[in-house]
Amino acid sequence: LAAELLEAGSTVKKQMSGGEVHAYRIPLTAGQYLKIIARQRGIDIVVRILGPDAEKLVEMDSLNGTQGPELASVVATKAGDFRIELAASKNVPPGSYELTSEAQRAISEHDQKWIEAQRIYFQGMQLRGQSSGEAQRKAISEFENALPLWRAVDDRLMEAHTLYYVASGYRNVGQPRNALERYNQALNLIKALGEEGEEATTLVNIGITKGELGEARSALSDFARALTLWRGMRDSYGES
């Protein structure tokens, strides 16, 4: 798949259908820091950054479904073209995205902390994808280790994402009370940020967890709030 050149500091807006992959390349010199933001508009995408040798350096896919930002960063250890891939989920309606590349620069202490938090978060996501209870518990530990780093760089969105996945891990290992506590912490951050898509997704999982705890009436209220948010955003995929 040919990769389109993405200029530093530029934004690309494109339509996308389910199952498609769009590729971009950004030339970097050794030591440069790259941060990209892919804003989803009605399509759920995974963001990957690959090095000049095609090694996958990072993959990010948050809880926000078809709305909201996916963020990823790398520091170039050697010069060359770095590849960005945006991969849309299969069997979803067409949508669009805005991909922004921040101006490349020398890495700062703040950037280094962000990269380290991302590295730990990525490890947690890889463990989360495994089915064993041991892997799920290790994923919880990795996500918990990332939390103080996100707080140190004041990235409340990534803190919320991480809390969400801690909660998901606790659900997977049969600890719904712990899960509900973390989901509510994530929800408070997400509401303050105004990310309605993520708020709706979190409310659904809060409702599911309350159902597991026998709190059916409260769960129905959470589902109703999520439905109202999705309808307000005209997100038929989330609503379904």
Side-chain angles (χ1 to χ4, degrees):
L1 179 64
E4 178 182 334
L5 178 65
L6 183 64
E7 300 286 350
S10 65
T11 296
V12 174
K13 301 179 182 181
K14 283 194 177 182
Q15 299 293 313
M16 194 176 203
S17 297
E20 286 187 347
V21 177
H22 292 187
Y24 299 87
R25 61 182 178 85
I26 298 180
L28 297 176
T29 59
Q32 276 192 314
Y33 173 75
L34 168 67
K35 184 174 184 179
I36 59 167
I37 304 169
R39 294 193 174 277
Q40 302 160 122
R41 310 294 189 196
I43 189 102
D44 188 15
I45 59 177
V46 176
V47 175
R48 305 184 190 100
I49 302 179
L50 293 81
D53 54 2
E55 177 189 2
K56 183 169 69 176
L57 303 176
V58 67
E59 179 176 289
M60 297 293 275
D61 184 21
S62 66
L63 63 108
N64 48 24
T66 63
Q67 305 288 337
E70 298 286 358
L71 305 105
S73 293
V74 294
V75 177
T77 56
K78 57 185 174 183
D81 280 353
F82 285 69
R83 182 181 175 94
I84 298 167
E85 292 184 349
L86 307 183
S89 299
K90 295 179 180 179
N91 304 317
V92 297
S96 64
Y97 65 82
E98 297 178 10
L99 176 65
T100 300
S101 164
E102 293 190 356
Q104 287 89 60
R105 61 180 186 271
I107 190 168
S108 67
E109 182 180 351
H110 181 279
D111 299 333
Q112 289 174 331
K113 289 179 180 178
W114 204 100
I115 289 282
E116 177 63 10
Q118 177 187 247
R119 183 188 67 80
I120 298 170
Y121 177 91
F122 182 43
Q123 290 176 345
M125 292 297 285
Q126 290 179 307
L127 288 163
R128 181 178 179 271
Q130 301 175 29
S131 59
S132 72
E134 180 182 3
Q136 294 298 313
R137 285 186 285 273
K138 287 181 178 178
I140 292 170
S141 178
E142 293 289 352
F143 289 131
E144 293 278 17
N145 288 338
L147 281 171
L149 291 171
W150 294 130
R151 290 166 182 153
V153 296
D154 195 29
D155 193 324
R156 292 181 295 162
L157 182 62
M158 288 306 302
E159 180 185 353
H161 290 177
T162 305
L163 283 164
Y164 175 94
Y165 288 121
V166 171
S168 176
Y170 276 125
R171 272 197 66 222
N172 291 339
V173 297
Q175 297 183 36
R177 286 291 177 196
N178 284 333
L180 187 58
E181 178 185 352
R182 300 309 195 282
Y183 277 135
N184 279 316
Q185 290 173 3
L187 182 66
N188 289 335
L189 286 170
I190 290 165
K191 287 175 69 175
L193 293 168
E195 295 288 347
E196 292 186 339
E198 301 191 20
E199 182 180 348
T201 300
T202 306
L203 282 167
V204 166
N205 282 277
I206 287 173
I208 292 170
T209 306
K210 286 180 179 178
E212 293 169 348
L213 291 166
E215 301 173 12
R217 181 171 296 180
S218 182
L220 288 173
S221 176
D222 293 317
F223 294 144
R225 287 164 61 198
L227 188 59
T228 298
L229 286 166
W230 273 318
R231 285 176 174 167
M233 293 183 294
R234 298 180 181 177
D235 187 341
S236 58
Y237 180 68
E239 186 177 339
S240 64

